[in-house]
Amino acid sequence: MSMHITAKPGEIAERILLPGDPLRAKYIAETYFEEPECVSELRGAYCFTGKYKGERVSVLGTGMGIPSVLIYTTELCTEYGCERLIRTGTAGGYDYSLKLGDIVLSQATCTTSALNDHIFKGHFAPIADFSLLRSAYDIALEKNMRVFVGNTICNDHLYTDERGYDPRVWADYGVIAAEMEAAALYTVAARYRKKALTIMTVVVDAAAELGSREDMKDESLQISTDERQNGLDDMIILGLETLIS
């Protein structure tokens, strides 16, 4: 049985949202679920199961970074039979056309992580499930959401030495946004033949993400902490609608 999720067999739905912030998982369940039930809270990683528009769904807060997501998604796939996994997270924009609050659908993800280097002799390319990606895009357009689809970058480091990693290089090659979990989600989904998608809200815009450390401190270029935890409703609704589509 799972070492990190205390839900009993059958208590987690086959369709699940995966925000990084456990308190966002709680917000999603309390705001959007019918009859939400907390089925696991070990290590503060809240997991709720309920119904959305009559369909059974779950939400679990995975924490930040690739190792944490690897653990939770592997156990969800192997121990709880999850079939559709949608990450609802936040991103820094690398494309100057992106604005704060815009939604990004990660079609594929580059990564600075070595998570797959010990498995493959070459370089594995983690990608989204096309059916979920297409559904999410169509739903977003129907709801008049500002949505962008493209290649993203999954980083191990949030704060980097300016002499090393340069986000402008990735941006030059068409990478539109950065986050820290999608490569893990897509890799696990590929291994266990599950459907996965990463949906993100831009919370830091390109001017800050591609600029200096002083730019990163400019509050006008970021969405507030409270909004990240308890808002981002367009993304949440899009994730739920895609789960049940």
Side-chain angles (χ1 to χ4, degrees):
M1 290 299 296
S2 168
M3 296 174 60
H4 306 93
I5 305 170
T6 56
K8 297 175 183 178
E11 288 188 332
I12 297 178
E14 290 185 356
R15 294 173 287 191
I16 188 166
L17 285 189
L18 301 171
D21 186 349
L23 292 180
R24 192 184 307 139
K26 187 172 184 288
Y27 169 81
I28 291 170
E30 293 176 347
T31 305
Y32 292 101
F33 285 13
E34 304 156 18
E35 302 176 0
E37 178 185 0
C38 184
V39 297
S40 181
E41 54 184 323
L42 185 66
R43 295 173 179 259
Y46 292 114
C47 181
F48 291 84
T49 296
K51 290 185 178 181
Y52 177 73
K53 294 187 174 180
E55 300 290 337
R56 192 165 183 263
V57 292
S58 293
V59 60
L60 181 145
T62 62
M64 293 185 289
I66 284 173
S68 183
V69 174
L70 278 174
I71 290 170
Y72 285 114
T73 55
T74 297
E75 294 181 4
L76 289 170
C77 291
T78 60
E79 304 291 341
Y80 292 98
C82 292
E83 295 292 333
R84 291 187 178 192
L85 304 94
I86 296 181
R87 164 168 151 67
T88 47
T90 56
Y94 278 11
D95 190 310
Y96 281 98
S97 61
L98 291 171
K99 299 178 180 179
L100 293 179
D102 285 348
I103 292 174
V104 171
L105 305 180
S106 175
Q107 183 176 17
T109 179
C110 309
T111 184
T112 58
S113 171
L115 82 158
N116 288 320
D117 289 359
H118 67 291
I119 301 175
F120 301 96
K121 293 182 179 179
H123 297 283
F124 180 69
I127 62 172
D129 174 76
F130 178 71
S131 63
L132 290 182
L133 178 66
R134 181 175 59 184
S135 292
Y137 184 71
D138 289 343
I139 292 167
L141 292 184
E142 289 173 4
K143 294 183 177 296
N144 295 315
M145 297 177 181
R146 275 180 56 91
V147 62
F148 295 78
V149 180
N151 199 1
T152 59
I153 173 75
C154 183
N155 287 317
D156 267 345
H157 291 269
L158 179 61
Y159 304 109
T160 59
D161 190 318
E162 293 176 351
R163 296 170 298 176
Y165 174 84
D166 187 348
R168 289 168 294 189
V169 175
W170 297 97
D172 286 345
Y173 282 82
V175 170
I176 64 173
E179 52 85 57
M180 301 183 72
E181 289 84 22
L185 171 61
Y186 289 175
T187 294
V188 171
R191 173 65 180 84
Y192 297 107
R193 302 294 192 272
K194 308 299 183 181
K195 295 183 177 183
L197 176 65
T198 292
I199 302 175
M200 298 171 286
T201 299
V202 176
V203 298
V204 180
D205 81 3
E209 193 70 15
L210 302 181
S212 69
R213 293 185 185 276
E214 291 306 310
D215 290 329
M216 293 292 285
K217 298 175 183 178
D218 186 342
E219 293 183 0
S220 69
L221 301 175
Q222 302 183 41
I223 286 178
S224 73
T225 301
D226 286 343
E227 287 178 290
R228 296 187 198 196
Q229 180 175 296
N230 296 321
L232 313 182
D233 291 278
D234 279 355
M235 172 184 66
I236 294 166
I237 291 169
L238 180 56
L240 288 167
E241 293 288 336
T242 304
L243 271 185
I244 67 171
S245 64

